[in-house]
Amino acid sequence: MKNNAVLLGAPALGLGLVMLGTAPAMAAHAEGSYSTMLDEINNSGASGEVWIDVEGTTATVTLNATGLAAEFDGAPYPHVQHIHIDAQGLCPSPDADTNGDGIISTTEGAPFYGGIGTTLSVGDADKSPDGGLDLAAAPAGDTISYEETFELDQATQDALAAGTAVVVVHGLDPATQPEAGTSESDLVPELPLAATSPALCGALAMAPAGGVDTGVEQGTDGSAMAVTALGGLLAVGTVAGVVMLRRRAITND
């Protein structure tokens, strides 16, 4: 009877240890490094790159871009920028210009990249979707060199983990756009359409790419891989223990 109790307890103990070992990796499901190249939209002539490092719920976002519109009404041009979520996780193609006015507006691009999840504002300014159109909190000028560390909301974490997060930088020079660029914005009627339309876009992906698929997202310190390996060793040890105990039980009988 004692041997039978040990036999029943051994698998449960091993399973519990494996589950305990994998729990931390499951909790930090978006932890890791993400990156993308920013490609021009609407013939903006701009280019850039983005890196996002997530540790726990804290994100460090680095965004560099050049070739953007330089001035607006005689002042450095403000470029609102966001992590967009909850759509296809793609940047729009020219076919997204459904009304044929020559400009892909923010609204026309939304089915591809989604709504605002996080506003990449400067300093302590609002990082939520509510701050998405705050021109005073946006980087300005033809070159952006942005680096901020802040708490990342759950919706954006989920989009990163699902591979559907997209970075979009807005703001076109109306002088370089079709005539529609000077028409009323689909977001802010007081501004021209070009001012709020996307200039750069890039779909974020886990970096570095490749490696062995363990079924668990790997953090930057490789801890998830170590946890998975530990779980496998515990499982193997449990099986070996069960076999040994069964042999002893048979011998005792």
Side-chain angles (χ1 to χ4, degrees), residues 190-216:
E190 296 79 14
L191 295 175
L193 177 63
T196 59
S197 295
L200 286 170
C201 181
L204 290 160
M206 179 72 83
V212 177
D213 183 6
T214 62
V216 179

Side-chain angles (χ1 to χ4, degrees), residues 46-75:
S47 62
E49 297 174 293
V50 180
W51 300 268
I52 299 179
D53 293 318
V54 181
E55 294 186 10
T57 60
T58 302
T60 298
V61 179
T62 302
L63 189 157
N64 296 322
T66 59
L68 292 160
E71 292 187 355
F72 185 77
D73 283 345

Side-chain angles (χ1 to χ4, degrees), residues 1-120:
M1 183 68 69
K2 185 180 294 185
N3 285 336
N4 289 337
V6 172
L7 285 170
L8 290 172
L13 175 61
L15 179 60
L17 289 172
V18 172
M19 292 178 67
L20 180 63
T22 58
M26 293 172 64
H29 70 294
E31 197 164 81
S33 296
Y34 304 82
S35 65
T36 185
M37 299 294 294
L38 294 173
D39 295 323
E40 68 172 351
I41 299 182
N42 291 315
N43 298 312
S44 67
S47 62
E49 297 174 293
V50 180
W51 300 268
I52 299 179
D53 293 318
V54 181
E55 294 186 10
T57 60
T58 302
T60 298
V61 179
T62 302
L63 189 157
N64 296 322
T66 59
L68 292 160
E71 292 187 355
F72 185 77
D73 283 345
Y77 199 122
H79 293 279
V80 293
Q81 49 187 19
H82 320 101
I83 302 175
H84 286 254
I85 63 173
D86 294 338
Q88 301 178 57
L90 300 173
C91 292
S93 67
D95 294 339
D97 178 20
T98 54
N99 65 3
D101 65 359
I103 295 179
I104 300 171
S105 68
T106 297
T107 302
E108 289 173 327
F112 297 86
Y113 50 65
I116 299 172
T118 296
T119 299
L120 300 179

Side-chain angles (χ1 to χ4, degrees), residues 102-174:
I103 295 179
I104 300 171
S105 68
T106 297
T107 302
E108 289 173 327
F112 297 86
Y113 50 65
I116 299 172
T118 296
T119 299
L120 300 179
S121 57
V122 175
D124 295 330
D126 190 358
K127 299 292 191 296
S128 77
D130 292 339
L133 295 176
D134 185 357
L135 299 181
D142 60 352
T143 300
I144 294 176
S145 183
Y146 175 92
E147 183 172 337
E148 297 282 347
T149 299
F150 52 89
E151 288 298 301
L152 198 62
D153 70 281
Q154 188 62 54
T156 305
Q157 290 182 58
D158 292 344
L160 284 170
T164 57
V166 180
V167 174
V168 180
V169 179
H170 301 259
L172 303 166
D173 182 355

